[in-house]
Amino acid sequence: MKTNSIIEQFQDVLGDGGVSINIKSTEHYRTGWRSGGGDAIAVLFPKTLMEYWEALSICVAEKCIIIMQAANTGLTEGSTPNGSDYDRPVVVINTLAMNDIVLINNGKQAISFPGATLHNLEKKLEPVGRAPHSVIGSSCLGASIVGGIANNSGGALVKRGPAYTELSLYARVDNSGKLALVNHLGIELGDTPEDIIANLSSGNFAKDKIQTDKKASASDYEEIVRNTSADTPSRFNADPSRLFEASGCAGKIAIFAVVVDTFEVPQEEQTFYIGTNDPAVLTQIRRDMLSQLSQLPEVGEYLHRDMFNIAEKYGKDTCLCIHHLGTAALPKLFAAKGRIDAFLRRSTVFPNHLTDKAMQLAGGLFPRFLPNSLTQFRNQYEHHLILKMSNQGIEEAKRYLGNLFATEKREGAFIICNKEEASKAFLLRFAAAGAAMRYQTLNEDNVGEVLALDIALRRNDESWLESLPEHISRHIDKALYYGHFFCHVFHQDYVLKKGADAKQVKADMLALLDNRGAKYPAEHNVGHLYDAEATLQRFYQELDPTNTFNPGIGKMVKHARNCACCG
């Protein structure tokens, strides 16, 4: 009866179409992108910021747990419920319908509502010659701008660092158990929550200037990443210097809007493809380019040969989709696949992973996707670096790479990519992110689980290529390495052997990373897969003293904390 009363209140505010309670229809929103999931009494779909505020008010009044969710593209189970052992009713609030973007300061900044995506921002900025924080990867999957801020997400763009802002409008539950709306957007919007929301929603505010000295991006990152002698990582999720209200909040508050910087699009870009069998060559390239060149690379993406091979075969359909349909189609395709998978899982008639098998089969019907130049490099070299330079940095890179490989002292080679080579090299790198999962899915009878880690190495660590001890390596079928090389952030996907104890392998792996001085996760919030460090725990508790939002992340407690309202 209590649950029915709560649902009726939601329906009064959002209408029947804004409230989903059927177990089957909510499964997609209660299940993580790669893993995880749990129970919820309802999934809410507010269409306006005022509906959002009113739904939050009901949740807080009825002492419900609130799980914030946008595109649900997270990889650490941080945007879905986790199991069924909560002490209060769980409500998921999906924000994707609130997707307005307002350009301000002549397009140099943008105000993003909670459901606006990086892809939509990229399209909105094209006419003014600007670009968002991330332009491939998360943007192709339909990830939200606010989600990137909340998770301190990184990206492939060397100069821009993690997603970060100090300008936000958000709701939180204070120490007395009351819902409060905090306006730190740097924009005068009124005094009451109703006035603030109404003025923001209607655009009733000055758009030419924000009166504040606070940051809307990690504007100091270039200096940080250039310091190759530092004994700490350049960026990682729990970096205390990047934890500020909405930034790094991991859903411990309800974000209504953020201000983010946009970036000038380079006048000219050139991609270089580098191959070598000596990891020390890439070490030198990274150190020299970061410390000596006047222009930082735009992008510097690493691929190991094994990852190249897996991505070429098991990511081919993804590459083909983007190549032929464009990035605009990909979020819809992934969302449709998720819904179809949820439907098929409810039936015993269909075989497991039918959509993955069908997509893999379809990809195989097409001719080879990659140009000969790239596959020849794959055959010849173990280590690959996709380097994109811009403007005057192009000539700098040509001279540098030409001198580096001019003698036999440095083993390897590079090509100056034409348009096709550049496009397909980056598509291959993008497809790598899901290729390990596809490989495991289609070979589940012969291999075990996938252990996916994203790690940040120390900036002065020259031993970036991992060497696993025998007590770990004997449990691994494939170790697949790729990542953001100049930032020293690596994605390491391990497909385990059949029967391997995934929890023990992960524990051993993390102990090894701790000994190396690495930080993890580097690009995703801790979710329910990692322990939150002490600094991060304090940050979460300060934002959410009653443990109303996303309880249990960072492997912290799920129960309500003492406050004036609950004793």
Side-chain angles (χ1 to χ4, degrees):
M1 292 180 63
K2 173 73 169 177
T3 298
N4 290 341
S5 173
I6 297 172
I7 299 300
E8 289 174 1
Q9 293 180 68
F10 289 144
Q11 290 171 336
D12 288 342
V13 170
L14 304 177
D16 291 339
V19 183
S20 182
I21 59 174
N22 182 274
I23 292 178
K24 293 181 179 180
S25 62
T26 62
E27 181 181 3
H28 172 69
Y29 303 95
R30 296 183 293 102
T31 304
W33 183 259
R34 278 187 176 173
S35 62
D39 297 340
I41 64 168
V43 179
L44 309 182
F45 303 91
K47 297 180 289 295
T48 68
L49 296 183
M50 188 56 72
E51 286 185 355
Y52 185 24
W53 172 256
E54 292 177 354
L56 288 168
S57 299
I58 295 169
C59 290
V60 174
E62 297 293 345
K63 298 181 176 60
C64 293
I65 285 170
I66 302 167
I67 308 292
M68 301 305 311
Q69 181 186 95
N72 193 18
T73 58
L75 303 180
T76 57
E77 306 178 7
S79 55
T80 57
N82 176 251
S84 57
D85 57 341
Y86 293 98
D87 61 340
R88 293 152 287 166
V90 177
V91 175
V92 177
I93 301 182
N94 186 283
T95 63
L96 281 182
M98 300 173 288
N99 58 2
D100 287 355
I101 296 172
V102 181
L103 299 187
I104 58 175
N105 294 344
N106 298 315
K108 294 180 180 179
Q109 292 181 314
I111 299 174
S112 167
F113 284 28
T117 65
L118 282 163
H119 184 266
N120 288 341
L121 178 58
E122 186 177 355
K123 294 301 181 185
K124 197 173 184 82
L125 289 171
E126 279 182 0
V128 295
R130 308 286 292 183
H133 166 266
S134 179
V135 294
I136 193 169
S138 295
S139 59
C140 291
L141 294 175
S144 70
I145 300 164
V146 163
I149 295 292
N151 297 327
N152 276 347
S153 298
L157 300 177
V158 177
K159 301 175 182 179
R160 300 180 192 176
Y164 181 76
T165 189
E166 297 169 359
L167 301 167
S168 62
L169 173 67
Y170 61 92
R172 68 186 294 265
V173 178
D174 63 24
N175 197 49
S176 65
K178 294 181 180 179
L179 185 67
L181 189 66
V182 181
N183 180 13
H184 287 168
L185 274 180
I187 303 171
E188 178 54 48
L189 294 169
D191 298 321
T192 68
E194 291 74 18
D195 287 343
I196 292 170
I197 292 171
N199 287 326
L200 179 61
S201 300
S202 65
N204 183 27
F205 56 89
K207 301 177 181 64
D208 58 343
K209 190 175 183 181
I210 291 181
Q211 298 293 333
T212 183
D213 59 353
K214 294 187 180 297
K215 291 183 176 183
S217 66
S219 56
D220 58 343
Y221 188 70
E222 284 198 38
E223 179 181 353
I224 290 171
V225 77
R226 280 187 180 276
N227 186 0
T228 59
S229 63
D231 196 33
T232 55
S234 59
R235 58 178 171 91
F236 61 99
N237 174 263
D239 183 352
S241 68
R242 303 300 183 196
L243 302 177
F244 188 91
E245 296 180 346
S247 295
C249 71
K252 297 299 286 183
I253 54 178
I255 302 172
F256 279 64
V258 295
V259 173
V260 292
D261 287 336
T262 67
F263 302 86
E264 188 175 357
V265 174
Q267 295 177 342
E268 184 182 5
E269 292 182 326
Q270 177 63 60
T271 297
F272 302 81
Y273 198 95
I274 302 164
T276 182
N277 289 312
D278 182 2
V281 171
L282 297 190
T283 300
Q284 181 177 353
I285 290 173
R286 173 180 173 269
R287 187 193 313 113
D288 289 349
M289 285 193 161
L290 290 179
S291 61
Q292 298 176 15
L293 269 60
S294 66
Q295 296 295 310
L296 286 179
E298 295 291 326
V299 180
E301 292 295 285
Y302 170 77
L303 273 177
H304 187 272
R305 175 192 280 154
D306 291 343
M307 186 73 259
F308 186 117
N309 291 333
I310 290 291
E312 181 185 23
K313 181 176 181 179
Y314 294 94
K316 183 179 178 182
D317 57 299
T318 299
C319 292
L320 289 168
C321 283
I322 300 175
H323 181 69
H324 292 291
L325 302 178
T327 57
L330 207 60
K332 296 177 182 178
L333 291 175
F334 272 96
K337 179 183 181 299
R339 293 185 179 91
I340 293 171
D341 287 341
F343 171 77
L344 294 177
R345 281 195 297 267
R346 297 195 292 267
S347 173
T348 58
V349 176
F350 300 100
N352 292 336
H353 313 301
L354 181 60
T355 58
D356 286 285
K357 292 174 181 177
M359 292 166 67
Q360 186 69 22
L361 178 63
L365 298 176
F366 286 79
R368 189 175 64 180
F369 176 75
L370 295 176
N372 288 334
S373 55
L374 299 188
T375 55
Q376 287 173 1
F377 261 56
R378 180 268 314 279
N379 296 337
Q380 190 171 358
Y381 299 114
E382 180 181 1
H383 306 288
H384 301 246
L385 181 65
I386 310 169
L387 175 70
K388 182 187 287 187
M389 303 297 296
S390 64
N391 300 337
Q392 60 264 42
I394 296 172
E395 290 303 319
E396 280 191 303
K398 286 180 181 178
R399 288 194 299 270
Y400 172 79
L401 293 174
N403 292 334
L404 182 70
F405 293 113
T407 67
E408 296 180 358
K409 292 182 179 179
R410 283 306 184 190
E411 188 269 349
F414 73 97
I415 57 175
I416 301 174
C417 296
N418 59 33
K419 187 175 181 180
E420 181 194 14
E421 290 167 335
S423 172
K424 292 187 175 181
F426 281 113
L427 284 179
L428 181 73
R429 166 60 186 88
F430 171 73
M437 289 296 297
R438 173 68 65 77
Y439 170 80
Q440 188 273 341
T441 295
L442 299 185
N443 295 278
E444 62 178 354
D445 292 338
N446 301 312
V447 300
E449 299 178 35
V450 172
L451 173 59
L453 302 178
D454 59 294
I455 68 164
L457 297 180
R458 292 170 292 128
R459 283 169 281 174
N460 65 353
D461 191 346
E462 297 189 1
S463 302
W464 56 270
L465 184 62
E466 183 175 67
S467 178
L468 293 174
E470 194 275 336
H471 75 278
I472 296 178
S473 63
R474 62 190 174 94
H475 297 294
I476 295 175
D477 174 74
K478 290 191 181 299
L480 305 171
Y481 303 106
Y482 55 108
H484 315 307
F485 190 69
F486 287 87
C487 299
H488 250 197
V489 170
F490 292 87
H491 296 276
Q492 301 182 171
D493 292 348
Y494 307 94
V495 183
L496 304 183
K497 292 181 179 178
K498 198 73 173 177
D501 185 340
K503 289 185 177 179
Q504 185 58 54
V505 173
K506 181 179 180 180
D508 292 343
M509 195 75 71
L510 296 185
L512 188 68
L513 292 172
D514 289 338
N515 289 335
R516 296 176 65 191
K519 290 290 187 179
Y520 51 84
E523 296 199 297
H524 307 282
N525 76 55
V526 290
H528 292 279
L529 299 183
Y530 297 93
D531 292 298
E533 296 182 359
T535 301
L536 193 58
Q537 290 191 32
R538 288 193 296 271
F539 177 64
Y540 289 161
Q541 290 174 7
E542 290 169 0
L543 288 178
D544 182 27
T546 64
N547 211 19
T548 296
F549 290 92
N550 213 1
I553 60 166
K555 298 188 177 181
M556 297 168 67
V557 298
K558 290 184 175 180
H559 60 71
R561 294 195 190 94
N562 291 335
C563 61
C565 67
C566 59

